[in-house]
Structure formats: structure tokens, C-alpha cells
Amino acid sequence: MIIKGKSRAGASQLAQHLGRADTNERIEILQLDSAGTPAEAFRDWQTYTLATKGKLGLYHANIDPDAKYEMTPQQWMRAVDILEEELGLQGQPRAVVMHEKNGREHIHVVWARADMDTMTLRSDSMNYQAHERASLRMEQEFGHEHVPGKHAKRDRDAQPEFPTAEVNHDEWQQRERGGIDHRERKAQVTALYEASDSGPAFKAALEDAGYVLARGDRRDFVILDDDAKAHSLGRQLPGVKAKDLRAFMADIDPESLPSVKEARATIREAARAQPTPEQDKPEPSTPERDNTPPQDTEADRERVASLRRAIIERHSAELKEQELRHAREVETLQEKQQAAADKAILSFAQEQAQRAIKERPQEPGGINRLIRTIREAVDEEARRQRLADEAERARDTEDCRNDEVRIMVSGLNAAQRAEIDTLVERQGRERADLLDEQSRDLKRRVEDEQRAIALEREYEQRRRDALAKDREGPERDPRAR
């Protein structure tokens, strides 16, 4: 069981990668803890990161079992739960996407790292060890063959040296893009190394083979291929130890070599200056024709304009859908705030009523009330003073109650405004992102259409030239009669 993953941002690029139908035979969303599409969910989860002052709001991992094991749906979800426990991401929203490629199934899992309770990002430290612990638990629970690892699954006795992968991610991607296979490159560089008797001779052999020897930033030496891609020289020589390679290259001063940046600029400059095969090929003797580029016809302009109108119409529909969704979000938030305010007001009123009962002045009873009545009957001023004191206490109590009401209402209004401002700010960012994405989409689609029209015109011109040449027949000797 192989598990890879790391924290990242780039929500839109990740959603596009997980939804690629051109490189996968089947795509299935097994779980999505959010409304809407995965792209919308990832964007929202990344937006939560703003409150934590972090940057990498997503954790993306893929779980890849051996092809000889067929996983059940329950085992797939159990694997996700195990990895979630080891990474400490329990309770976080997640998305689980199944990919089938070349007949093999694997799953991608994306978690939101922002913890909304603590307003912090869940830690991603020591994640490689967590991957291997999860992998070991899965192998033991599902009965899969044990796969040694570098960290938690490493047997120090059986693996005294730190294991290295046969091919790194960059080499795998280059092979997928159709470049030279890493095995062929390593065999070629190894052959040049074995045929050289010194560092300068090896450097000259590499240059003859089209490589550039350069000074690495963290490694002693690197080589750059025709595509200006840098490769560690030590990794291209399997079986050659680092100290042996340094001794072999002792005659070459690393400071005399170009840096990777300088070597890459030289390779690209040489590639631009080198004539293409079409430029080297002599022009065939063909009947003269007008080489001026054909102008756009009215039909071509209408075709581009029609495409532009269709795209703008689709973009308008997307904006309208977003506006409706934003309006629903505002309405939902207002309803939630009103319900919370009603509950807070009711609780406040009940508390005030209970306090009024407790603070109500006690009437004197029995002999005390009789004495007060007799005193006030004899002295009218004593009665007026008592009534004035009671009225002042009532005013003080009312003023205090009014102050508490104003404080409570002010707090509610401030909290509601903060929630509305946060929602409006997020919606503003979403609208700006959508407008920016639509602008790029319109420009790209129109440019693609214009290129397609130009290619069609070029193809049609070539077809006409070929037909004209067929009608004229082969060239004849001017001396023929």
C-alpha cells in the first residue's frame, strides 16, 4: 500500500487535476463534505485559511494499493479513515475521488486543514511517518503484502542504508510527457563515465552527447539535457558512490562551471538561434503564388463573433447562478441571525424578570407598617420623602435596565454586521475570481478559434496548390517541341 500526500493551496488546479478525464478511464466522487462541485468546495476550504493567517489550506493524499488486490468500497473508505486518524484530521471536511487508470484503481483524498473551532490549521508535521503508519495498518488489516518504507515501515537491519526510489516524480512526469526514458539516460551517462579516464574527459563526452555539465545549488554537479531539465549527476550513475564520483571529478573546479540558471539560459538561447528543419530545407520550385497572408473573411469574423457571443452568454448564466447562490447565502444568514437574536432577547427578558423579582424592595410588615403609617399621618413631609426615594430607585433601576438592553442590542448588531461583512467579502472574492477566470477563458477560446481558422485556411491553400500542380503535370525541358 503506497500513500503520498502533502499540504498545498491551488484549489482550482487541484480540482482540475482530480477531474481530468483525458488521463483517467473512470472518475467517481465517493464523498464530498460540501455543497456544490469539488472546485467550489476546495475554493471554500482554501478561503477558510484566511482566518488562520495560513496559506496551505488543503491536504491532498492518494492511496494506491498493489494491482493484484481488489479493494471493496468498505475497504476504500476504511483506508481513508485510517489515514485521517494518523494525520490528525478527524472531523475535518473531506473529499474522496476514485480514479481508474490503465485498469488500476486508486483514490485521492482532500481535507480542509482549517479548524473552525480554534481558527488554526491542523498540523502537517511528520506527515511522511504518518503515511507509513497508516500504510502499515492498512496492510495488516486488509491482509496485503508488506511494502518496506523509509521511515515508520523501515527495518533498520534489513535496510541499513536509506532507501531511494528508482525514479523520482520529475523523471516519471518527463517519461509521461514522452521525453527520453530515465533508464536510457542513466545507461547513456554511465557508458560515457566508464569510457572516460578523467573528469575533463567525462565533461567533454557529456558535451558531445548534448548534455551540459553545471554547478548545482545543493549538489556537487548536475547535467542539463536538451530540454534544459537539470538532473543530479550522482543519480545518473547507479552504483557509483558520492565520494568516488567526487574523486573522479577532482580535476574540475565547480566554480568554473556555469550555474543551473546560466546553463539553462545558454541552452534555450542556442535552441532559439538554431534553424528549424523547415528553414534548412530548400524551397521547391513551385509556381509563383501570392505569399501575402489571407485576410479574415466575413464568414470567419462572424464565426469568431458567434463563438464570443456563446461564451459571453454562458458566462452570464454562470454569473447569474452565482448571484442567486450568494442571495440564498445572505438570506440564510439573515434567517439564522434573526433566530439567534430572538433567542437572545427571550433569554435576556427572562433574566431581567427574575432579577426584578429578586431586587423588588420588601414592604414592611406588621408593626413596622403601622408605625410608618402613623408617622406619615403626623408628618406629611416624611410621606413625600418616602415616595420620592421610591421613585428615584425606580428610575435608577429603569436606567440600568435600559443600559443593559442597549449593550445587548449593540453586541448583537456588531456580531451580525461582522458575519455579514465576512460573507460579503468572501462573495466579493468569489465574484472577482469568477470574472477573472471568465476573462481568461474567453481570451483563450477566441485565440484557439482564430488559430483553428488560420490552420483551415492554410490547409485549404495547400490543397489548392497540390491540385494545381497535379493539373500542370511534371516540369518539361524548355527545349522540348
Side-chain angles (χ1 to χ4, degrees):
M1 186 72 70
I2 304 298
I3 301 176
K4 295 182 179 180
K6 63 179 181 179
S7 298
R8 57 165 295 164
S12 59
Q13 189 276 335
L14 177 58
Q16 182 180 7
H17 171 68
L18 296 187
R20 289 190 61 179
D22 56 336
T23 58
N24 296 285
E25 301 162 6
R26 180 172 64 90
I27 300 174
E28 182 181 357
I29 300 177
L30 302 182
Q31 182 181 351
L32 179 60
D33 295 340
S34 178
T37 64
E40 294 172 340
F42 299 165
R43 180 193 59 207
D44 292 343
W45 297 349
Q46 178 62 27
T47 303
Y48 297 159
T49 312
L50 298 175
T52 67
K53 297 183 180 180
K55 294 182 179 179
L56 307 180
L58 305 174
Y59 194 93
H60 171 219
N62 64 286
I63 304 175
D64 191 2
D66 195 304
K68 63 184 179 182
Y69 298 110
E70 183 175 353
M71 299 275 287
T72 65
Q74 293 77 15
Q75 286 178 327
W76 280 120
M77 299 311 298
R78 176 57 182 160
V80 174
D81 292 338
I82 292 175
L83 180 57
E84 184 175 86
E85 293 173 7
E86 294 296 338
L87 291 171
L89 293 171
Q90 300 96 320
Q92 294 298 105
R94 72 188 186 191
V96 184
V97 180
M98 168 77 73
H99 280 181
E100 182 176 351
K101 184 175 183 179
N102 299 327
R104 291 188 58 182
E105 290 182 341
H106 66 277
I107 58 173
H108 293 261
V109 192
V110 182
W111 285 274
R113 291 185 60 209
D115 191 327
M116 303 308 294
D117 295 331
T118 61
M119 283 294 111
T120 58
L121 292 180
R122 292 288 181 92
S123 174
D124 60 352
S125 62
M126 310 295 284
N127 60 326
Y128 292 166
Q129 289 87 332
H131 293 168
E132 293 194 359
R133 290 195 303 270
S135 175
L136 180 60
R137 288 178 57 186
M138 295 176 197
E139 291 165 353
Q140 294 173 345
E141 186 169 329
F142 303 151
H144 290 191
E145 181 180 354
H146 178 71
V147 178
K150 294 183 178 182
H151 302 284
K153 298 171 66 178
R154 180 182 174 191
D155 187 345
R156 305 286 172 167
D157 296 332
Q159 296 175 280
E161 295 185 0
F162 200 73
T164 57
E166 179 184 359
V167 53
N168 60 28
H169 190 67
D170 287 342
E171 293 172 337
W172 173 81
Q173 284 189 324
Q174 187 177 29
R175 183 179 62 188
E176 288 288 311
R177 291 192 296 264
I180 181 174
D181 187 86
H182 67 283
R183 298 184 183 88
E184 298 176 7
R185 183 178 60 252
K186 290 181 179 180
Q188 181 186 20
V189 175
T190 301
L192 296 175
Y193 172 78
E194 294 175 348
S196 304
D197 57 358
S198 64
F202 183 37
K203 177 177 179 293
L206 288 172
E207 293 174 350
D208 291 340
Y211 297 100
V212 176
L213 185 65
R215 179 181 70 254
D217 296 334
R218 292 175 297 174
R219 298 173 285 260
D220 292 338
F221 299 100
V222 297
I223 58 173
L224 284 81
D225 55 23
D226 293 339
D227 295 331
K229 181 69 177 178
H231 308 277
S232 169
L233 181 58
R235 286 184 61 89
Q236 310 310 307
L237 300 171
V240 179
K241 295 184 178 180
K243 64 177 182 179
D244 295 336
L245 180 59
R246 292 193 188 98
F248 183 79
M249 303 293 287
D251 295 337
I252 297 180
D253 181 12
E255 297 300 325
S256 65
L257 298 175
S259 65
V260 173
K261 184 177 180 179
E262 295 169 345
R264 184 170 288 146
T266 302
I267 292 173
R268 291 173 177 170
E269 185 65 28
R272 285 193 293 267
Q274 184 178 2
T276 60
E278 289 75 9
Q279 293 173 334
D280 294 339
K281 189 182 299 181
E283 290 290 336
S285 58
T286 56
E288 294 184 0
R289 61 183 177 91
D290 187 8
N291 290 325
T292 59
Q295 301 297 321
D296 289 344
T297 63
E298 184 64 30
D300 294 338
R301 288 192 289 271
E302 177 57 29
R303 174 175 167 183
V304 174
S306 177
L307 174 65
R308 186 187 297 273
R309 288 193 298 270
I311 295 175
I312 292 176
E313 183 178 354
R314 178 169 59 82
H315 288 173
S316 299
E318 292 176 352
L319 284 172
K320 185 66 175 177
E321 181 181 355
Q322 186 187 67
E323 290 174 357
L324 293 175
R325 180 166 59 84
H326 285 173
R328 288 194 297 269
E329 289 177 350
V330 172
E331 183 179 355
T332 301
L333 178 59
Q334 290 176 340
E335 293 176 354
K336 177 182 176 182
Q337 290 179 340
Q338 185 60 46
D342 293 343
K343 183 177 179 181
I345 292 172
L346 177 61
S347 176
F348 178 80
Q350 292 174 348
E351 181 182 350
Q352 290 295 325
Q354 293 174 358
R355 188 193 305 177
I357 294 174
K358 291 180 180 180
E359 296 177 353
R360 181 182 301 168
Q362 298 293 329
E363 287 290 333
I367 187 64
N368 292 331
R369 180 184 300 177
L370 178 60
I371 293 172
R372 186 187 71 181
T373 302
I374 295 173
R375 182 185 296 115
E376 291 180 354
V378 175
D379 187 358
E380 181 66 20
E381 183 63 25
R383 179 175 177 277
R384 286 196 298 269
Q385 183 63 38
R386 179 179 62 82
L387 294 177
D389 293 342
E390 292 178 353
E392 184 177 359
R393 284 196 300 270
R395 286 194 301 270
D396 292 342
T397 302
E398 184 66 21
D399 291 342
C400 181
R401 185 177 297 108
N402 291 336
D403 290 340
E404 292 178 352
V405 169
R406 283 194 294 271
I407 293 173
M408 188 271 293
V409 172
S410 176
L412 283 176
N413 291 336
Q416 291 178 351
R417 282 197 302 271
E419 290 180 344
I420 290 292
D421 291 343
T422 301
L423 177 62
V424 171
E425 182 181 358
R426 176 177 67 80
Q427 291 179 347
R429 289 195 300 269
E430 290 179 0
R431 184 172 182 83
D433 291 344
L434 180 58
L435 290 173
D436 185 49
E437 181 181 351
Q438 289 180 347
S439 176
R440 293 195 302 268
D441 178 61
L442 177 61
K443 181 180 178 182
R444 182 179 64 254
R445 294 285 301 277
V446 169
E447 290 176 349
D448 290 345
E449 188 69 13
Q450 291 172 341
R451 282 194 294 268
I453 292 174
L455 289 174
E456 291 174 4
R457 286 201 303 263
E458 181 181 355
Y459 172 78
E460 180 62 21
Q461 185 62 49
R462 290 183 179 181
R463 187 183 67 82
R464 291 177 180 176
D465 292 345
L467 291 176
K469 186 175 181 179
D470 290 341
R471 286 195 299 269
E472 292 174 1
E475 295 182 1
R476 299 180 62 190
D477 192 323
R479 297 172 296 177
R481 294 289 185 269

